[in-house]
Amino acid sequence: MEYRHLGRTGVKVAPLALGTDNILNPTPEAEAKKMILRGIEAGINLIDTANSYMRGEAERVIGETLKESGLRDQVLIATKAHYPTGPGPNDRGNSRLHLLRACEDSLKRLQTDYIDLYQLHRPVFDMPIDETLAALTDLVRQGKVRYIGSSTAPAWKVLEGILVSELKGYVRFVSEQPPYNLLDRRIENELVPMAQAYNLALLPWSPLAMGMLAGRYAEDNIRPEGSRARLRGGIYAERVTPRAVEVGNRFVKLAREAGYDPAQLALLWVKDQPGITAPIIGPKSVEQLEHLLPVLDMKLPEDIRPEDIRIACDGLVPPGSAVANFHNSAPWMKMQI
């Protein structure tokens, strides 16, 4: 397997990361623990979670799994803070007060002394980033956090954080976690070039576009039983539109005609796009995980021909454009699909 550097750090990660948003919603705890262990066995060494996933219960399951198996030192734990953890006005956001409290709570649930990658789940625009970076720097100096990152932030906001860190000697972002798949390619316009210029790791979420690139949605039924769009609704359902499903199914046909499994090709396409470090997969079962693990070692053809897969994908959704809105949980993104 080809391990990749986590941005400009010396840390190496597998080209796929294991996401845990499905733990306990809907994946049962026992199945979730099996998934974590199987992912580690296959070589995945970055587990991504958040203190908002099932109100912190996903962190608890990860912590128990790693403690029971004795595998804590074999993996990097990436978690996030930002979303509400209580009813109070200070139980959310990226303030020093909230981040220090949230970090302590995550450490307890994860049953670990340190978090490898601590990420801002969303950016905040109505407070100076200095306060946030100073708090994260203190956590790093205390040994409670190794590296910091951000998630679903505009390129300028990430770059602001990098430049302020350089100016004031704060700890620097090493990663950004954006939504990215063939149906929403907008990060290619600014975020990807910025990340390449400043050696920032990109850890994309939703590479399969909630299954629209895996053939899980029929054009006459975009809310099938068991789908996240149906189970969770809200922002998840908003991403699944007739147009997105139609383009997704055209990709499924393209993949099968080229001799690829659609889900594997969709993930492979993201994994090997310029600037990408490790897409985050979010299987609901060990079976789904097993189906995606071969992508760890897969490569797209290098030769460029008119019928080349990359060119065909560009024909479905041109570079930098989108037919689905996976930034709909980011109020700063004004473009609607």
Side-chain angles (χ1 to χ4, degrees):
M1 187 192 309
E2 177 192 354
Y3 284 84
R4 300 171 175 181
H5 281 285
L6 185 69
R8 67 176 193 170
T9 76
V11 175
K12 292 186 176 182
V13 296
L16 297 179
L18 181 62
T20 60
D21 192 21
N22 284 317
I23 288 181
L24 303 180
N25 186 23
T27 307
E29 183 167 330
E31 184 75 1
K33 289 184 174 182
K34 291 178 183 177
M35 281 196 304
I36 292 169
L37 294 176
R38 177 62 186 117
I40 296 171
E41 180 185 45
I44 292 177
N45 65 338
L46 177 61
I47 300 174
D48 181 76
T49 190
N51 67 351
S52 60
Y53 293 170
M54 284 302 291
R55 300 172 300 280
E57 285 296 291
E59 289 182 327
R60 178 189 60 79
V61 172
I62 293 168
E64 288 182 2
T65 305
L66 297 180
K67 184 175 182 178
E68 292 166 357
S69 63
L71 296 175
R72 170 65 184 97
D73 291 338
Q74 294 189 27
V75 300
L76 305 172
I77 296 177
T79 192
K80 314 179 201 70
H82 168 80
Y83 284 117
T85 55
N90 294 311
D91 296 332
R92 66 200 69 204
N94 298 345
S95 69
R96 177 183 185 85
L97 180 62
H98 179 61
L99 290 176
L100 296 185
R101 287 176 176 172
C103 183
E104 293 294 344
D105 291 341
S106 287
L107 288 169
K108 291 175 184 176
R109 286 189 293 265
L110 290 164
Q111 299 189 54
T112 185
D113 296 327
Y114 64 96
I115 293 165
D116 296 282
L117 179 62
Y118 200 43
Q119 303 158 106
L120 304 176
H121 210 153
R122 291 294 184 272
V124 168
F125 300 94
D126 60 356
M127 61 171 281
I129 197 169
D130 306 50
E131 176 175 341
T132 299
L133 291 173
L136 294 173
T137 299
D138 285 346
L139 289 172
V140 171
R141 289 174 177 168
Q142 292 165 10
K144 296 176 180 177
V145 168
R146 297 292 191 255
Y147 299 100
I148 67 165
S150 63
S151 177
T152 318
W156 74 264
K157 192 66 175 173
V158 181
L159 184 55
E160 177 192 38
I162 291 174
L163 297 181
V164 169
S165 292
E166 295 288 346
L167 285 169
K168 298 199 172 187
Y170 294 142
V171 65
R172 185 185 189 272
F173 289 135
V174 303
S175 65
E176 158 63 17
Q177 188 182 125
Y180 185 43
N181 53 60
L182 181 62
L183 302 184
D184 193 338
R185 303 181 60 175
R186 287 174 286 180
I187 69 167
E188 296 172 358
N189 295 314
E190 294 186 4
L191 185 66
V192 171
M194 183 278 293
Q196 290 177 300
Y198 287 87
N199 202 0
L200 190 79
L202 291 177
L203 308 170
W205 54 268
S206 205
L208 303 186
M210 287 175 49
M212 285 187 283
L213 295 171
R216 295 176 188 156
Y217 294 83
E219 292 175 36
D220 59 351
N221 180 17
I222 63 173
R223 301 288 184 270
E225 196 73 32
S227 68
R228 186 175 289 192
R230 179 153 183 180
L231 290 173
R232 298 195 182 183
I235 58 172
Y236 300 94
E238 291 171 4
R239 297 166 185 160
V240 182
T241 65
R243 183 186 181 201
V245 170
E246 186 269 330
V247 175
N249 286 338
R250 285 166 58 194
F251 168 81
V252 170
K253 181 180 178 182
L254 179 158
R256 289 173 176 161
E257 289 177 349
Y260 285 88
D261 172 83
Q264 292 180 351
L265 180 60
L267 181 58
L268 176 62
W269 182 89
V270 175
K271 177 177 78 78
D272 288 347
Q273 283 290 95
I276 300 303
T277 304
I280 299 169
I281 56 174
K284 297 178 183 177
S285 64
V286 174
E287 181 182 9
Q288 286 187 1
L289 175 62
E290 292 286 1
H291 186 67
L292 298 175
L293 287 177
V295 180
L296 284 166
D297 298 305
M298 290 172 64
K299 291 285 184 183
L300 279 174
E302 295 291 341
D303 52 327
I304 302 297
R305 309 180 306 273
E307 65 272 27
D308 179 73
I309 292 172
R310 290 192 182 279
I311 294 175
C313 289
D314 288 348
L316 293 176
V317 183
S321 66
V323 296
N325 186 13
F326 278 80
H327 283 83
N328 64 334
S329 63
W332 55 265
M333 175 59 79
K334 304 304 181 186
M335 179 182 177
Q336 300 299 312
I337 305 301

